[in-house]
Amino acid sequence: MGDKRDDLDDLLASARDAEAPSDALIARVLADAATVQEDLQAPAPAPASRRGWGAWLSGIGGWRGAGGLVAATATGLMVGVYAPDSVDALLDGALTDYGVIASDELVSGWGALLDLEDG
């Protein structure tokens, strides 16, 4: 441990003994800094205004955001329609026993719409 500390002390002592930078170098650095500051203080160009669907799409992240929104909506709809039955089946009817799900057929109208058999 003492060996590393001695090395650090030697390094800091050599840094204290080093010569100061020349006035020419300091002038060049300050001139460069002033140029950079002038560029940063210039006003940014105004963004192009969008109207209608373009503004809406840019507000949600463009086409990728719209695609994610559509996918999340479709997933939420499918989970809402199919998940209660699946979860109740996994819990061996516990949701029905507690009265959370009133019947096994959550959307009664769809059965008649999807029934292709006559009779």
Side-chain angles (χ1 to χ4, degrees), residues 93-101:
L95 296 178
T96 305
D97 294 342
Y98 290 128
V100 176
I101 296 178

Side-chain angles (χ1 to χ4, degrees), residues 5-107:
R5 187 172 200 157
D6 292 337
D7 291 342
L8 181 60
D9 287 337
D10 293 340
L11 182 65
L12 292 174
S14 66
R16 280 190 292 268
D17 295 338
E19 1 177 317
S22 67
D23 291 336
L25 175 64
I26 291 175
R28 286 193 311 259
V29 168
L30 290 177
D32 188 37
T35 305
V36 170
Q37 285 179 348
E38 288 172 5
D39 291 343
L40 291 176
Q41 292 176 357
S49 63
R50 295 184 180 184
R51 295 178 181 243
W53 285 102
W56 184 79
L57 278 176
S58 67
I60 63 168
W63 286 106
R64 289 183 181 181
L69 186 61
V70 168
T73 303
T75 302
L77 179 66
M78 299 315 295
V79 166
V81 170
Y82 292 112
D85 287 338
S86 303
V87 172
D88 192 39
L90 288 172
L91 296 175
D92 294 325
L95 296 178
T96 305
D97 294 342
Y98 290 128
V100 176
I101 296 178
S103 69
D104 289 337
E105 189 173 330
L106 294 176
V107 185

